[in-house]
Amino acid sequence: MGFLESIGLRKKSATPVEEATTVSSQVTAIELERRLEVMARKITATPYVANANFIALYNSVPEVQWPINYIATRCAGAKYLLKRFEDDTVVWDNEAMNRILVQPNAFETWYRTIFKHFAYKLLTGNSYIKAAMSDAFAGAEVLYQWCDRYVTLEAPLVQIEYQRFINDIYGIADIEDVVKCYRHDIDGYYRSKPIDPHCVFHDKDDVIGWITGDPLKAKSRLYAALKAISNLIAVYEARNVIYVKRGALGWLVSDQKDEMGSKALTRDEKKQILEETDKMYGVGEGQYPYGISDVKLQFIRTNLSITELEPFEETLADAIIIAGLYGIPSVLIPRKDQSTYANQAAAEKAVYSSVVIPMVQRFCQEFSRFLGLDKDGLYLDADFSDVDCLQAGKKEEQDVHRSITDRCKIEFESALITLNDWRAQQGYERVEDPLYDKLISEMTPDEIKRVKNFTNQTPKQDEGEFSAPSVQDEGE
């Protein structure tokens, strides 16, 4: 396998080779070798394009790997917490979930497991987390109490084995009516152990369409960028050729003349010039930086130089297309002319707000249901309060909150709103107390005194100065 094939490339037409390898056995070995050589030259002359081997592209093309790593690392880097539905308080003493959130399996931490999950999802369109447990407990509604080993499977190796009637997926069927099992083909399909569908958390990317014959699998976003990726590979190949050959490519032609006009090079002269150029001249060790020819020659360029090809502009344009598929602004793409820090900070904040946080929140919601946390009134949540680029947003929120407090304070003192109106404008829940539904003009002196007691201030009664009503004085 050549380098281009190893990085996920295919030739536009492999048909000639296939035809040659199926040639009749009556063809002699010499004739077959000659045919293969001719066809190989034809194939080599055709351009290479990216195929759907996204894992190979991820490991070989930096413009493919960068946006996926950018999002996956930020999704995995959040602080995942267990909370109660009833009051959104953090649950610290749940031993079963604490083990999962620290070390979900013997070989990987929670961060690594979640990073792989999001990376496979963004790269291939599908990701699978397996609950490694006995089949006897596969149907347990509260899965997290019976299983503490969760592994992210290699997405390209996961196959879905369907029941006889796949069309039931569009009816009222349950998962077991459609999916017979999942298989992780690490040892080959028929040797792989079937996995109960209730033990697999299958997360799909938000892309319309599915892989042919697999209605439960989503397609990768990178399908829409295969041409851009092909352009990237072509640019890298062109740059490599120019740098390796150490100069522009073209034709060496004879500049000799005789009485009949121009004189062409003989076959022996051509062979001698090619051998000397390839072995003796260049900038490598033992090579000369100049050449000496026995015949008069001139060089005619037939291709463009690095400057004329503008490969860096083409590379950036393709990188912008790929990053755009994942919602990453172009100012965040590593480049020679870096954007201002202010632009990058604002762009990174936008990526968190529109891409990372919604993706993680949806994962927490669906994975909580998979684990059965909802049965116990619990759910997973993610905290991004330590992210630097979001700190400025918090300060802005505090400024807005303070501004609303000041305005509501004036309106409350002017008898325009009640305490419950004040709380509603600041996002607090309604308090079931008749006092909170009264205007200040409707309050008795004792009620005004109550208000003073729980506002954490000592305002003058005549001036009616009050702070935000945060808690009710339950002692009154």
Side-chain angles (χ1 to χ4, degrees):
M1 178 182 292
F3 169 73
L4 290 170
E5 289 84 352
S6 69
I7 65 171
L9 301 180
R10 60 177 172 80
K11 302 175 181 68
K12 280 189 174 179
S13 175
T15 308
V17 173
E18 295 174 358
E19 292 177 353
T21 54
T22 57
V23 72
S24 172
S25 58
Q26 296 178 357
V27 178
T28 64
I30 297 177
E31 177 64 16
L32 178 59
E33 183 177 356
R34 187 191 69 79
R35 292 186 186 183
L36 287 173
E37 184 178 355
V38 172
M39 294 172 184
R41 285 199 298 268
K42 291 181 180 180
I43 293 174
T44 307
T46 61
Y48 290 86
V49 296
N51 67 12
N53 189 351
F54 298 124
I55 301 297
L57 292 175
Y58 171 86
N59 290 319
S60 306
V61 182
E63 287 81 2
V64 172
Q65 185 178 113
W66 178 81
I68 293 171
N69 279 5
Y70 186 93
I71 297 175
T73 53
R74 284 157 176 77
C75 290
K79 182 188 293 184
Y80 288 83
L81 302 170
L82 183 65
K83 293 185 177 181
R84 292 186 179 89
F85 271 119
E86 59 182 4
D87 53 10
D88 295 324
T89 55
V90 179
V91 179
W92 300 105
D93 59 351
N94 190 307
E95 186 177 349
M97 279 304 301
N98 287 345
R99 287 197 302 268
I100 296 172
L101 294 177
V102 174
Q103 191 85 21
N105 61 74
F107 304 98
E108 293 178 331
T109 62
W110 172 262
Y111 173 90
R112 183 61 186 168
T113 301
I114 297 304
F115 169 82
K116 288 173 62 178
H117 168 77
F118 285 106
Y120 278 126
K121 176 181 176 180
L122 294 169
L123 182 61
T124 67
N126 301 273
S127 183
Y128 310 86
I129 297 180
K130 172 189 174 183
M133 61 187 299
S134 171
D135 293 339
F137 302 102
E141 291 186 351
V142 187
L143 193 62
Y144 79 98
Q145 293 183 354
W146 298 94
C147 177
D148 61 357
R149 299 297 176 97
Y150 298 87
V151 185
T152 299
L153 304 178
E154 292 77 11
L157 300 180
V158 175
Q159 302 295 331
I160 304 177
E161 188 173 326
Y162 293 94
Q163 300 286 5
R164 182 177 179 182
F165 300 106
I166 300 181
N167 285 340
D168 288 346
I169 190 175
Y170 304 106
I172 59 174
D174 293 325
I175 185 171
E176 61 271 12
D177 299 325
V178 177
V179 178
K180 184 177 181 180
C181 66
Y182 287 81
R183 291 185 182 271
H184 188 212
D185 295 350
I186 194 168
D187 292 326
Y189 182 79
Y190 291 104
R191 289 194 296 172
S192 60
K193 183 180 178 181
I195 307 172
D196 190 286
H198 292 95
C199 293
V200 177
F201 174 67
H202 181 186
D203 194 8
K204 295 183 284 187
D205 201 4
D206 301 328
V207 180
I208 296 176
W210 56 74
I211 300 175
T212 303
D214 249 323
L216 291 183
K217 286 188 177 182
K219 296 186 70 173
S220 170
R221 303 187 193 192
L222 293 177
Y223 274 104
L226 285 181
K227 289 185 178 179
I229 298 172
S230 298
N231 290 344
L232 275 171
I233 296 168
V235 170
Y236 281 125
E237 287 292 315
R239 285 167 56 187
N240 178 261
V241 169
I242 292 176
Y243 285 131
V244 170
K245 296 298 182 181
R246 297 169 176 95
L249 302 180
W251 290 89
L252 279 174
V253 298
S254 173
D255 200 25
Q256 302 178 95
K257 298 182 184 295
D258 56 17
E259 62 276 7
M260 299 297 294
S262 298
K263 181 180 178 182
L265 294 173
T266 65
R267 181 182 296 274
D268 291 338
E269 288 174 335
K270 292 178 182 178
K271 183 178 180 181
Q272 178 184 353
I273 291 172
L274 287 173
E275 290 178 351
E276 291 179 353
T277 302
D278 185 54
K279 296 179 180 180
M280 299 179 62
Y281 307 123
V283 294
E285 184 178 355
Q287 293 182 318
Y288 299 99
Y290 49 82
I292 302 174
S293 175
D294 295 333
V295 296
K296 191 175 182 181
L297 301 170
Q298 63 173 319
F299 178 75
I300 301 176
R301 282 181 53 192
T302 57
N303 74 325
L304 300 177
S305 67
I306 285 287
T307 304
E308 293 167 324
L309 285 171
E310 297 185 342
F312 302 105
E313 286 75 8
E314 174 65 28
T315 300
L316 178 59
D318 296 328
I320 290 174
I321 292 174
I322 298 171
L325 292 175
Y326 295 98
I328 300 179
S330 60
V331 297
L332 293 176
I333 298 175
R335 65 181 77 182
K336 180 179 178 181
D337 53 334
Q338 290 289 347
S339 301
T340 64
Y341 179 80
N343 284 346
Q344 288 184 326
E348 186 169 5
K349 178 183 175 182
V351 173
Y352 267 100
S353 301
S354 61
V355 179
V356 175
I357 294 177
M359 186 178 295
V360 171
Q361 287 178 338
R362 197 187 80 174
F363 164 78
C364 288
Q365 179 183 9
E366 296 180 357
F367 196 59
S368 295
R369 187 167 60 251
F370 171 74
L371 295 175
L373 292 172
D374 56 317
K375 304 297 182 182
D376 288 344
L378 304 172
Y379 69 96
L380 273 181
D381 195 15
D383 180 19
F384 293 91
S385 59
D386 294 335
V387 178
D388 291 340
C389 68
L390 299 179
Q391 299 305 313
K394 285 192 171 184
K395 183 178 182 300
E396 294 171 1
E397 290 179 2
Q398 291 175 355
D399 291 341
V400 172
H401 189 83
R402 188 178 299 109
S403 175
I404 294 175
T405 299
D406 294 340
R407 176 175 54 80
C408 288
K409 178 176 180 291
I410 295 174
E411 292 178 348
F412 177 72
E413 293 172 350
S414 302
L416 297 176
I417 62 174
T418 65
L419 292 177
N420 268 332
D421 294 334
W422 186 341
R423 291 176 62 87
Q425 292 190 43
Q426 294 195 287
Y428 299 126
E429 293 182 358
R430 178 184 180 86
V431 174
E432 297 297 334
D433 186 327
L435 175 64
Y436 280 73
D437 290 322
K438 288 185 178 183
L439 298 174
I440 191 174
S441 59
E442 301 172 339
M443 294 181 183
T444 65
D446 290 338
E447 289 175 333
I448 293 178
K449 183 180 178 181
R450 279 188 61 193
V451 172
K452 291 181 186 178
N453 290 337
F454 62 73
T455 54
N456 297 324
Q457 286 191 4
T458 55
K460 297 178 182 179
Q461 182 173 346
D462 295 339
E463 297 180 359
E465 297 177 356
F466 299 95
S467 62
S470 56
V471 293
Q472 181 179 0
D473 182 8
E474 297 178 354
E476 287 290 324

